């Protein structure tokens, strides 16, 4: 993986000489964009409405708080899922956070 690490507005990202940026949607070098898939239905999660419905079925609730984030918590655990306000800014890091905190229900796949 070659390129230059750039720190802007509290976020670090890899900028490649070819013009692509390491924005969390895939690996450097032009690999595919990633999507979050709900395994029981095999459906791609394409909005926060769908995600909130699926997480709600698992006992997750929307956490009232910071308006710059969409957050979910589960009363039976100490976990908190923090996501960007805009669904289009969801990265693979956010997707894997959801996968780890709700095992065997979601998966990250190539689009």
């Amino acid at each position: 993986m070659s390129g230059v690490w750039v720190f802007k507005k509290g976020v670090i990202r890899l900028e490649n000489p070819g013009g692509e940026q390491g924005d969390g949607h895939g690996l450097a070098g032009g690999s595919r964009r990633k999507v979050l898939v709900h395994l029981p239905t095999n459906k791609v999660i394409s909005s926060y409405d769908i995600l909130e419905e699926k997480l709600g079925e698992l006992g997750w609730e929307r956490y009232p708080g910071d308006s710059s984030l969409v957050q979910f918590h589960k009363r039976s655990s100490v976990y908190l899922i923090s996501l960007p306000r805009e669904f289009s800014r969801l990265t693979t890091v956010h997707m894997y956070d959801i996968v780890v905190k709700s095992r065997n229900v979601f998966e990250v796949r190539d689009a």
Side-chain angles (χ1 to χ4, degrees):
M1 205 184 286
S2 63
V4 177
W5 288 99
V6 177
F7 186 77
K8 292 181 188 173
K9 298 180 184 176
V11 177
I12 191 164
R13 72 176 41 153
L14 179 65
E15 291 188 0
N16 293 321
E20 290 189 36
Q21 293 183 349
D23 62 358
H25 287 288
L27 300 173
S31 72
R32 297 181 184 163
R33 191 175 67 86
K34 304 288 186 180
V35 293
L36 182 65
V37 176
H38 183 248
L39 291 174
T41 60
N42 203 32
K43 300 282 183 182
V44 173
I45 302 298
S46 58
S47 71
Y48 279 138
D49 290 336
I50 297 169
L51 179 61
E52 187 169 4
E53 176 187 334
K54 300 303 181 192
L55 287 175
E57 294 170 2
L58 300 171
W60 289 89
E61 300 173 349
R62 190 168 250 189
Y63 188 79
D66 188 349
S67 63
S68 66
L69 297 171
V70 174
Q71 296 180 311
F72 297 94
H73 73 96
K74 197 172 189 178
R75 290 182 188 209
S76 62
S77 75
V78 296
Y79 291 138
L80 182 67
I81 298 172
S82 297
L83 307 170
R85 171 67 52 203
E86 295 176 38
F87 188 80
S88 63
R89 299 183 63 87
L90 199 69
T91 66
T92 53
V93 172
H94 298 113
M95 293 179 199
Y96 281 114
D97 189 37
I98 294 167
V99 169
V100 167
K101 293 175 181 171
S102 55
R103 296 203 183 273
N104 303 320
V105 180
F106 294 98
E107 181 178 77
V108 177
R109 295 182 187 162
D110 288 333

